[in-house]
Amino acid sequence: AVHRLEAWQAEDGSWDGDGFSRRCGRIGATTCAGAGSAAHDVGLSALALLAFLGDGHTSDQGSYRDVVARALLWLRDAQDPDSGLIGARSSRDFLYDHALATLALCEAYYFSGSPRLQRPAQRAVNVILQARNPYGAWRYDLPPVGDSDTSVTGWMVFALASAREAGLDGDFDAAFAGALSFLDEVSDPASGRVGYSALGELSARTPANEHFPRENNEAMTAVGLLCRIFLGQKPDQHPLLAKHAELVRSKPPVWDPAGHSTDMYAWYYGTYALYQMGKPWWSTWEKALRAAVVESQRKDGDERGSWDPVCAWGASGGRVYSTALMTLTLEVYFRYGRVLGAR
């Protein structure tokens, strides 16, 4: 999969969401199948970069040192010199892209310790801290206007957790306390469901993906569960984690493009969360994951090694999104150790 992502990287170090236009002539027209939106090139490039980092490649070591180095340089150049924002405000949800880019920079800095990455990573972290609602979490606005949602908050939490591990500066305790306070507000103690922006609310949809049933996954519950784990909560002290895990496990991955049940975003978070939780939740999920993800990887033509973007957010991210996200999902075994300890 990383070999396929390498083939799609543009000369400037980015990944092009709207059809790999810079490389299509070289690789072939079929490679353009499954294009996403150009508005999210920053986020897509960050996801692809994270896939390389998760496979053990950095700008200093590994078989794809040049790929990583060029991607990092592109992200640094995409950062506004005044505000620290990575990328333009070219979509309503531009903070998604910034969060992913920040996570990639922080992880790269953690692995390399390069002074060239410290300042852009720190400035990106500062933007995240500025975007948080006072005493709360995050959504789409910078400066914040009081709205929060679990999806954006999840990426922000992981970016800040990586920043803290990398030794960057910030009032992380306040940010994490605000995130947990919001998650408590939208978590149903009876069912274990974590809502999108309100109690009991299922995942968001747009007119472009409304035909993907929300009830077929528990994406927000998986996000909330993983956030709680990374922020220090443990099942023996917080029984709600087990309820989250049971609900996520009840809707395992199923590769079903015709039935519009494929949701790679939900699978990514569910995989990371249940791997952390361990038995009995992980064993059930892992079996379904292997059937859904490993067996669906393309084994033919120019798309060999990739995944078709037939999931709920495939129209926005395209084949780069689906391939990077599924690569990250399969890297769960070695990307993070079990925070809770093996079970």
Side-chain angles (χ1 to χ4, degrees):
V2 291
H3 177 71
R4 180 53 53 210
L5 288 170
E6 185 273 339
W8 291 335
Q9 188 183 32
E11 296 299 331
D12 65 3
S14 69
W15 279 265
D16 185 7
D18 60 344
F20 325 120
S21 59
R22 301 179 184 92
R23 299 294 294 273
C24 281
R26 177 175 172 181
I27 297 177
T30 56
T31 306
C32 296
S37 167
H40 295 295
D41 281 359
V42 164
L44 291 175
S45 297
L47 275 177
L49 174 56
L50 285 165
F52 284 96
L53 293 172
D55 197 38
H57 307 282
T58 71
S59 56
D60 300 315
Q61 63 182 18
S63 305
Y64 296 100
R65 293 187 298 274
D66 182 60
V67 171
V68 173
R70 289 191 294 121
L72 286 169
L73 182 60
W74 186 82
L75 285 178
R76 285 171 51 200
D77 289 345
Q79 187 172 48
D80 184 273
D82 297 320
S83 69
L85 181 70
I86 303 174
R89 300 183 183 223
S90 55
S91 68
R92 179 170 176 254
D93 49 358
F94 67 93
L95 280 175
Y96 270 115
D97 302 292
H98 178 82
L100 286 164
T102 304
L103 176 59
L105 286 178
C106 289
E107 285 206 9
Y109 175 61
Y110 174 82
F111 287 124
S112 70
S114 171
R116 293 175 297 176
L117 294 176
Q118 182 178 15
R119 187 168 184 271
Q122 182 65 65
R123 296 179 70 232
V125 167
N126 294 344
V127 172
I128 290 180
L129 294 173
Q130 293 162 10
R132 184 175 70 89
N133 290 301
Y135 310 105
W138 293 266
R139 203 178 186 198
Y140 297 153
D141 298 287
L142 179 66
V145 297
D147 294 335
S148 298
D149 76 55
T150 300
S151 184
V152 175
T153 294
W155 290 117
M156 297 299 193
V157 165
F158 302 143
L160 293 184
S162 182
R164 181 176 60 179
E165 289 297 312
L168 297 173
D169 296 326
D171 190 351
F172 300 123
D173 288 344
F176 296 150
L180 282 174
S181 177
F182 168 71
L183 289 174
D184 286 342
E185 290 178 12
V186 297
S187 294
D188 185 343
S191 67
R193 173 168 291 148
V194 178
Y196 171 64
S197 61
L199 192 69
E201 187 178 24
L202 292 169
S203 297
R205 289 290 184 263
T206 69
N209 66 0
E210 191 64 49
H211 55 291
F212 284 84
R214 304 167 194 240
E215 62 273 11
N216 286 353
N217 71 81
E218 286 291 338
M220 296 302 100
T221 305
V223 174
L225 173 57
L226 191 56
C227 282
R228 291 183 184 278
I229 293 170
F230 271 80
L231 296 182
Q233 293 191 348
K234 300 182 183 300
D236 57 348
Q237 301 169 358
H238 300 273
L240 186 57
L241 271 67
K243 288 197 173 185
H244 290 333
E246 189 59 38
L247 190 58
V248 172
R249 182 176 69 161
S250 71
K251 299 179 182 179
V254 177
W255 185 262
D256 180 28
H260 304 297
S261 295
T262 305
D263 193 327
M264 295 175 181
Y265 177 79
W267 299 356
Y268 166 83
Y269 273 107
T271 298
Y272 273 80
L274 296 188
Y275 178 75
Q276 292 296 327
M277 290 292 288
K279 297 179 181 178
W281 305 282
W282 171 243
S283 55
T284 304
W285 182 273
E286 183 186 24
K287 183 178 180 179
L289 180 74
R290 289 182 177 274
V293 177
V294 176
E295 295 303 318
S296 64
Q297 187 178 30
R298 289 288 295 270
K299 301 173 178 62
D300 59 301
D302 290 326
E303 282 81 26
R304 182 174 181 173
S306 71
W307 281 267
D308 293 336
V310 294
C311 59
W313 300 102
S316 297
R319 194 173 293 274
V320 172
Y321 165 83
S322 57
T323 301
L325 200 60
M326 290 299 91
T327 302
L328 286 165
T329 299
L330 294 178
E331 289 172 356
V332 67
Y333 299 94
F334 49 88
R335 188 174 183 83
Y336 297 115
R338 274 202 169 104
V339 176
L340 298 174
R343 286 179 171 76

